[in-house]
Amino acid sequence: MRTLFSTAALHPRDAFERWKEALIDQGMPVEQQRLDDTPFKAKLTVARVGPLVMTSLAQGAMRTEATPSLIRRCADQERVDVLIKIAGVSRRIQEGRESVQRPGDLVVYDRRPSTRISCADSQTLVLALPRKRLESLLGPTRLYASLTIGADLASTRLATSFITNLIRLRDQILPDVATRMAGIGTDLIMASIAERLAKEVPRPLHGTVVVQRAKAHVEANLGDPALDPPQLAAATGVSLRRLQELFHARGQHISEYIWHRRLEAAGERLTDPGNAHLPIGTLAFNCGFSSQAHFSKRFKAQFGLAPREYRHEALMKVPSAGRAGPDLGLARPEAIGAPPRR
C-alpha cells in the first residue's frame, strides 16, 4: 500500500497534531483525543483496485469522535465507510447502539455523529462504498450502522479474506479485471451485512430483511448459471414457497428479478470502455447466461436494441479521453490521494 502519512520522521512533539491534520485532509471528519502518554505513532496508507479505494489506519490508543460540525464541513454523504478491524479492539457508540469490534470483524460507519474508543496498536482498513448501492439492497444505513458484523460468520471471513488478498495481489490484476474484482468484494461485504442484519431485526421486519439478503446473494452470484429460485431460497435459509410469497408481496417474481439483474449487469458491462475488447458472448456468460442466443433475445426485449447495437451506441458517446474506464462512484481517488490505476 502507498504511504500517505507517517509519524516515523516527525518529532514526537508534533506527531499527534500532524496526524489529526492528515485525517481531516483525507476527508475523515473526526476529532481525536489520546488515551495514553506513550510516544505517539501512526501511519496512513492507501491502495486501489479499479474504483475501490482502501485506506489503512494504524494508531495508538485513541478516543475518536465524529462531531456534527465536522461532518457538515468534511463528510461526503454519498459514501458509506466499511471498516475491517485488522488489529486491536475498538468500541463504537452511535445513537444508543454500542458495539465492540475485534480482529476480523466488520462495522459500517455512515457519517453520523459517533464515538469510537480504540486500544493501543489499533489497525483498521477503511473501504469507501457508495451509499446508494448499499441502501438499494440493505435498506437505510441506520439499520446496521455501528452493528458489529462478526468474524464468527462465514460470510464475514470470506469477505475480509477476499479484500485482504485483493490488496496483496493488486499489482498482478489487469485493469479490465480490477473493476469486476472490486464489485465482487463489495457484493461479499453486502452479503455479510445482510446475514448479520437478519439476526438482529424484530419479527415484523424479518420478511424485508430476508428479501434484502436474497437480493444481496443474487448480486454476489450473478455469474452463476445455476442460480435459480430454489438455490436462492436455500442460500437465504427459507423455503422456496416462503421466498416466493415475500417477493410477490413486493410485486416481484424471483426468477424475473434474477434475469432483470443479470441483464442490467450485462448492460453496464457493455457500456464500459474497459470491456470493449471482450466478446459479447464472454460478457453474457459472466452474467450467468449459458446461451448467447438466449441472452440476445432477452436483452433486446428489455433494452430495445441488440447487445452489439447497444454497445456501439453507448461507446460512441464516450469521449476518447474518458475511455480508460467507468467511474462507478465507489470513491473519488483524488479526494484521498489514491494512486492512479495501474
Side-chain angles (χ1 to χ4, degrees):
M1 299 181 78
R2 186 168 70 96
T3 300
L4 297 181
F5 177 87
S6 173
T7 59
L10 296 177
H11 191 285
R13 180 185 60 243
D14 304 323
F16 184 51
E17 291 302 319
R18 292 283 300 277
W19 169 250
K20 292 193 294 184
E21 293 170 1
L23 293 183
I24 295 297
D25 289 344
Q26 300 306 319
M28 299 180 183
V30 294
E31 292 181 352
Q32 293 198 314
Q33 177 184 354
R34 296 193 59 194
L35 299 180
D36 61 30
D37 55 2
T38 60
F40 180 71
K41 297 179 181 179
K43 190 174 184 179
L44 180 68
T45 57
V46 67
R48 175 174 178 171
V49 176
L52 181 60
V53 178
M54 296 158 284
T55 306
S56 174
L57 297 92
Q59 61 186 35
M62 196 80 62
R63 177 187 175 91
T64 301
E65 187 171 359
T67 65
S69 59
L70 278 175
I71 291 171
R72 286 193 299 270
R73 187 176 60 170
C74 305
D76 178 3
Q77 294 294 347
E78 296 302 313
R79 86 178 198 185
V80 173
D81 289 338
V82 173
L83 283 58
I84 301 176
K85 198 67 182 171
I86 303 298
V89 178
S90 296
R91 181 163 60 94
R92 179 175 289 274
I93 306 166
Q94 186 175 49
E95 294 188 350
R97 174 181 284 162
E98 183 172 341
S99 60
V100 176
Q101 291 81 48
R102 296 179 173 82
D105 293 345
L106 301 177
V107 66
V108 176
Y109 168 51
D110 70 343
R111 303 303 177 112
R112 288 182 294 138
S114 64
T115 300
R116 178 164 56 91
I117 299 172
S118 302
C119 70
D121 300 321
S122 173
Q123 184 178 358
T124 304
L125 185 64
V126 183
L127 284 69
L129 304 180
R131 176 185 295 274
K132 183 177 180 181
R133 184 169 182 184
L134 260 70
E135 293 192 334
S136 67
L137 289 173
L138 300 172
T141 55
R142 59 179 173 77
L143 294 176
Y144 43 90
S146 294
L147 177 68
T148 297
I149 319 297
D152 57 313
L153 296 178
S155 57
T156 302
R157 296 196 300 273
L158 180 60
T160 56
S161 175
F162 184 90
I163 293 297
T164 53
N165 278 290
L166 194 60
I167 294 173
R168 182 173 61 87
L169 299 172
R170 67 191 183 281
D171 293 336
Q172 303 174 38
I173 301 174
L174 297 175
D176 58 348
V177 178
T179 296
R180 287 202 63 205
M181 294 297 100
I184 291 170
T186 301
D187 291 339
L188 288 172
I189 288 172
M190 291 194 296
S192 179
I193 296 170
E195 182 176 358
R196 175 64 180 86
L197 190 57
K199 299 176 180 292
E200 184 77 7
V201 297
R203 186 65 192 176
L205 295 179
H206 187 263
T208 297
V209 174
V210 168
V211 171
Q212 290 167 350
R213 288 183 62 198
K215 289 183 176 181
H217 184 82
V218 169
E219 294 301 311
N221 294 274
L222 283 176
D224 181 1
L227 179 64
D228 60 9
Q231 186 199 85
L232 183 59
T236 310
V238 297
S239 69
L240 176 58
R241 181 175 179 180
R242 176 57 177 160
L243 191 62
Q244 288 171 332
E245 290 173 350
L246 292 173
F247 269 78
H248 289 167
R250 291 155 178 79
Q252 297 174 321
H253 295 274
I254 302 174
S255 58
E256 285 305 311
Y257 177 81
I258 293 172
W259 289 118
H260 176 74
R261 284 301 303 131
R262 283 173 167 161
L263 289 166
E264 284 191 335
E268 291 170 2
R269 294 173 189 180
L270 284 170
T271 61
D272 179 356
N275 292 329
H277 67 289
L278 294 177
I280 288 176
T282 299
L283 292 179
F285 178 78
N286 290 339
C287 291
F289 291 88
S290 57
S291 163
Q292 187 168 343
H294 180 221
F295 167 65
S296 297
K297 181 178 179 180
R298 277 191 172 267
F299 190 92
K300 188 169 184 178
Q302 178 156 324
F303 292 100
L305 291 173
R308 192 174 305 279
E309 296 169 338
Y310 187 86
R311 167 188 265 180
H312 177 75
E313 187 171 295
L315 295 183
M316 288 297 290
K317 297 177 182 178
V318 178
S320 58
R323 293 182 184 239
D327 178 4
L328 300 187
L330 293 184
R332 287 190 281 278
E334 65 274 12
I336 68 169
R341 179 184 298 180
R342 294 180 180 270

